[in-house]
Amino acid sequence: MSPEVRPMDGQALQATDRTVDGDLQLDAKSFRCITKMTRVRQFYVDNLRGHLDATLAAANSTTGAVYPPGSVIQLVPGEAMVKRDKGFNATTHDWEFFELDVSKDGTQVRKRGFADVVNRFGGNCFGCHVAARPEWDLLCEADHGCAPIPVTRAMIGALQRTDPRCENPALSPEDAEALKQLNELVKPAR
C-alpha cells in the first residue's frame, strides 16, 4: 500500500470516480496504442474530446500552459494521466492518474485516481507530479521541478516501441538491451 499523499493544504485526497456536469466517461477503451497518439519530445499526447490542437499547444509551450479537458499524456504504455473538467479535483488541477495493463488484446485499467496510483517503479504518480512548478500544470519534464525518474531515455523509447497494442516492428538489439536493463531495475529485491 502506498503512503497517503497530502497536498500542501494538508487535506487528504479522495480517489473516487466522480464526475462534474459534462465530464468525460473514461474506461479501458479510452486508451490506445501509445504510438498512434501524437509524439511531443519524449512523451505522447491525445485529446479524448477531439481538441488535439489545444493539447499540442499546451505541450509545446515554452513558458507553461493549462491543458484542456480531455488531454491524455503518456510517457509509457502502462501509465496515463487525463485532464478532467474543471471542478473534478482542484488539488490535482483536475488531472486523474491511471495505471494500465496493456496486452495485444487491449487495455485494462488496473488503478485510477489521485493520490493512490503508484507506477511500476513504486513511485506515487501525484507525489511526483505535484512537484512540477505551477506553470507546467503538473506535467513533469527534466526542467519542470519534478524529481528524475529511475529510467533512461533508451528504456522509455523501448517501452513505447514495444507497446503490445501496436503493430510493432521486430525488436532491435538496442531495444532488447534497454528492456533487459529495465527488467533488472524493476526486479524485486531478494
Side-chain angles (χ1 to χ4, degrees):
M1 174 162 248
S2 64
E4 180 178 62
V5 175
R6 291 184 180 268
M8 287 191 265
D9 68 5
Q11 298 294 315
L13 298 175
Q14 299 299 311
T16 60
D17 182 25
R18 70 182 195 91
T19 59
V20 294
D21 252 354
D23 198 7
L24 296 164
Q25 297 300 314
L26 297 170
D27 61 21
K29 293 182 182 106
S30 302
F31 304 98
R32 61 188 177 130
C33 165
I34 194 170
T35 59
K36 299 283 186 205
M37 296 168 61
T38 302
R39 186 180 178 100
V40 177
R41 292 175 298 284
Q42 190 72 19
F43 59 98
Y44 286 85
V45 302
D46 201 354
N47 190 292
L48 299 172
R49 290 227 165 112
H51 304 295
L52 182 59
D53 289 345
T55 297
L56 286 169
N60 287 312
S61 172
T62 59
T63 57
V66 174
Y67 282 76
S71 294
V72 178
I73 310 291
Q74 285 193 259
L75 179 63
V76 295
E79 302 173 10
M81 54 191 294
V82 177
K83 184 72 168 211
R84 306 296 295 266
D85 279 336
K86 187 164 182 61
F88 183 74
N89 187 303
T91 303
T92 67
H93 302 230
D94 302 314
W95 287 103
E96 184 176 11
F97 300 97
F98 292 80
E99 180 188 0
L100 307 171
D101 283 328
V102 296
S103 72
K104 64 179 177 51
D105 299 322
T107 307
Q108 296 297 317
V109 175
R110 179 182 289 177
K111 190 154 197 155
R112 65 188 290 182
F114 312 119
D116 57 345
V117 180
V118 176
N119 67 24
R120 68 189 282 182
F121 309 108
N124 178 282
C125 297
F126 178 73
C128 288
H129 286 269
V130 72
R133 290 189 308 276
E135 66 268 25
W136 300 113
D137 195 21
L138 290 191
L139 262 286
C140 291
E141 286 194 72
D143 59 351
H144 290 188
C146 305
I149 57 175
V151 295
T152 66
R153 285 187 178 265
M155 292 173 190
I156 292 166
L159 284 171
Q160 293 168 341
R161 287 184 291 276
T162 59
D163 183 337
R165 300 168 297 180
C166 307
E167 294 177 22
N168 297 313
L171 186 65
S172 73
E174 295 82 13
D175 282 351
E177 178 60 27
L179 292 173
K180 178 181 170 191
Q181 292 171 6
L182 179 65
N183 284 333
E184 289 299 315
L185 180 69
V186 297
K187 239 184 219 176
R190 293 181 187 207

